[in-house]
Amino acid sequence: MILTVTLNAALDVTYGVDSLRPRTSHRVGAVHRRAGGKGVNVARVLAGRGRAVTVTGLVGGPTGALVREDLRAVPGLRDELVPVAGESRRTVTVVSGDDGDATVFNEQGPHVSSAEWRAFTGRFTALVREASVVALCGSLPPGLPSDAYAQLVGSALETGVPTVLDTSGAPLLDALDAGPDVVKPNAAELAAATGCEDAGAGAERLRALGARSVVVSSGPGGLLAVTPDGSRRAVPPERLAGNPTGAGDACVAALAAGLADGADWGAVLREAVALSAAAVACPVAGDVDAATYERFRTTVTVEDLHAPQPH
């Protein structure tokens, strides 16, 4: 079982418009509403690939009830979300039809009390004993300490369960000392965290701070992986138009599945790029387009860049 953690779960609302123009009104075409947050999206992708997956995290209020109702309709997905008193957030994504760009508005999320956090960590400790891999994803809601992910990574490490971490800023930096197995920043998040504009140098910086492996996503530029087995770059065969908001979550799903299977890094990166591209081809995060996935999975280029380096 792969366990995904979404501490700031959301109801994702996606609007499709012909063209996004500031300071004017827009007529909305397609509207999609579904349970979201990065870890929830990761779980959807995994469940769609036939994986046993459990979702945990924090939800509350009427919006949280809508999140849980939507998750009940996902085959193969187990809901172990923990209730809080506050109202779960909504996110709004506006996808422009003329260029495929997405503009995202993220609410902050509910305030989480220390008692609610203790209740969650107790649930997490029980769930992690059943897991083969844990994926910890997204922002922290107000009230949680910036080392919240560090605590969860440490708990998983004590149980011998590998972790994939996808967050940014202080929660990312504070978690590194706990030794996550894989961290997956995008290029902008990596530069903000390390001050390094060069992705390779930034990834090595995160490894020096405690991450075992670092996978950097660069959108249509593909992935850079810096690992104990060396550095590799995986590049898609073509650029796709579409909604890129779920691409990173599909990448994390592939990384978690690869860890669970003990797959080699070349195979993991091909799968990650193919699933990411297949997510771009879908209108909402958490879905993948089967035809795009099948086309990309045999045409992704993986290049070995450097021999293994000492940690």
Side-chain angles (χ1 to χ4, degrees):
M1 181 269 286
I2 296 176
L3 177 65
T4 75
V5 176
T6 310
L7 296 177
N8 210 2
L11 185 70
D12 287 346
V13 182
T14 303
Y15 291 154
V17 299
D18 291 336
S19 179
L20 182 61
R21 300 183 303 279
R23 297 177 296 278
T24 187
S25 62
H26 296 78
R27 187 174 297 279
V28 175
V31 180
H32 302 275
R33 295 181 180 86
R34 58 162 32 177
K38 295 179 74 64
V40 170
N41 296 334
V42 171
R44 284 187 188 275
V45 174
L46 289 168
R49 306 303 300 164
R51 295 277 179 167
V53 61
T54 297
V55 172
T56 193
L58 302 168
V59 292
T63 302
L66 291 173
V67 168
R68 302 192 84 160
E69 180 182 350
D70 185 64
L71 290 179
R72 283 195 292 271
V74 182
L77 191 152
R78 173 182 165 198
D79 171 8
E80 288 285 351
L81 292 163
V82 176
V84 297
E87 179 84 8
S88 289
R89 65 193 179 117
R90 294 178 182 238
T91 69
V92 177
T93 300
V94 182
V95 180
S96 177
D98 59 355
D99 57 15
D101 282 349
T103 301
V104 184
F105 300 87
N106 291 313
E107 294 181 5
Q108 199 171 31
H111 186 276
V112 179
S113 70
S114 57
E116 289 168 336
W117 177 237
R118 286 194 299 272
F120 173 78
T121 56
R123 178 75 61 86
F124 177 83
T125 299
L127 290 171
V128 78
R129 296 191 188 104
E130 307 173 32
S132 58
V133 174
V134 178
L136 306 121
C137 309
S139 63
L140 299 180
L144 290 191
S146 64
D147 69 344
Y149 281 132
Q151 296 178 42
L152 301 182
V153 170
S155 179
L157 184 63
E158 289 176 2
T159 314
V161 177
T163 52
V164 182
L165 177 66
D166 182 12
T167 190
S168 59
L172 168 62
L173 292 172
D174 286 351
L176 296 175
D177 191 52
D181 292 270
V182 182
V183 298
K184 193 221 71 65
N186 62 35
E189 292 165 345
L190 180 67
T194 64
C196 300
E197 294 300 324
D198 177 76
E204 290 290 5
R205 174 63 177 159
L206 294 190
R207 289 196 70 228
L209 291 172
R212 181 170 172 79
S213 298
V214 180
V215 177
V216 185
S217 57
S218 301
L223 301 174
L224 171 68
V226 180
T227 78
D229 298 327
S231 299
R232 298 169 180 83
R233 188 179 303 280
V235 181
E238 62 186 86
R239 179 168 185 160
L240 293 174
N243 179 9
T245 55
D249 303 329
C251 176
V252 172
L255 297 175
L259 270 182
D261 294 343
D264 68 81
W265 272 106
V268 171
L269 293 174
R270 287 187 186 90
E271 185 78 358
V273 172
L275 277 179
S276 298
V280 171
C282 289
V284 290
D287 289 346
V288 294
D289 179 72
T292 302
Y293 168 74
E294 290 298 332
R295 189 169 84 251
F296 273 62
R297 64 193 299 259
T298 58
T299 54
V300 172
T301 301
V302 178
E303 176 188 5
D304 289 328
L305 301 178
H306 302 294
Q309 297 293 322
H311 192 167

